Amino acid sequence: MVGMAGLEGVEQPGQRGGATAARWTPAADDEQALKALELFGNPAEEEVRLPSRPESAASARRLTQCVVIRQWGLGPQVAEHAVLLVSELVGNAVRHTGARVFGLRMLRRRGWIRVEVRDPSRGLPCLMPVHELDTSGRGLFLVDKLSDRWGVDLLPRGKTTWFEMRVSDH
């Protein structure tokens, strides 16, 4: 099985400047996040379906930012990691499944958040070894390093790839 790739061109943790695509800038991003909520729905209320195209990663990031920061009131570090990991899961769903759409769902329970990306492929993602100079294939490596737990649930038609992160309840 081919390794599942990260988002090429997006800075990865450890590089100078951090993951700029995942940073929350309230004015412009907030407006775009609210537009994404209007267009697709709220993934914290029910699964939202997004077209399986590369530009949908930006919509998924905006939805994640909006839910994590505005709805759940969690901090910028949690939001930054959640947004980066959503990008990776969405990138894998778009690149490797041949699907027309994928689903995004976000759940919160005491001390945890869970983000799920559902697609119609039953092909399992594979965590590959990552080397310092690799320019792709870091997606699941990042999910493994930045989340507290992650996994894949096979469904009758497809799969759900998910990650969970511990959060402090205020």
Side-chain angles (χ1 to χ4, degrees), residues 4-155:
M4 308 246 342
L7 290 179
E8 289 78 4
V10 172
E11 288 184 354
Q12 304 297 346
Q15 290 182 345
R16 293 193 185 276
T20 52
R23 294 213 192 279
W24 177 258
T25 52
D29 282 353
D30 205 27
E31 190 175 313
Q32 290 182 315
L34 293 173
K35 283 181 185 173
L37 272 176
E38 273 181 43
L39 186 59
F40 298 109
N42 186 338
E45 293 173 2
E46 63 183 357
E47 179 181 279
V48 298
R49 294 167 58 84
L50 295 152
S52 191
R53 295 192 305 256
E55 55 271 22
S56 289
S59 298
R61 285 192 297 271
R62 288 183 191 113
L63 290 168
T64 301
Q65 284 177 329
C66 196
V67 168
V68 170
I69 290 177
R70 298 184 102 227
Q71 187 171 336
W72 291 343
L74 298 172
Q77 184 72 50
V78 171
E80 187 171 335
H81 286 174
V83 164
L84 177 61
L85 300 187
V86 161
S87 281
E88 299 301 343
L89 295 188
V90 167
N92 288 343
V94 169
R95 251 190 314 281
H96 299 291
T97 67
R100 281 205 213 126
V101 297
F102 64 89
L104 174 66
R105 177 101 166 102
M106 300 177 66
L107 306 157
R108 170 116 193 245
R109 65 182 189 276
R110 188 174 173 85
W112 292 90
I113 63 169
R114 177 180 173 110
V115 178
E116 302 174 344
V117 174
R118 186 178 57 82
D119 66 66
S121 168
R122 289 179 54 89
L124 294 176
C126 183
L127 180 59
M128 303 294 285
V130 174
H131 303 286
E132 190 174 338
L133 298 177
D134 289 349
T135 58
S136 66
R138 294 177 181 261
L140 284 180
F141 174 80
L142 288 172
V143 172
D144 190 57
K145 292 299 175 204
L146 296 177
S147 69
D148 291 290
R149 301 192 281 236
W150 72 276
V152 180
D153 298 331
L154 281 176
L155 306 169

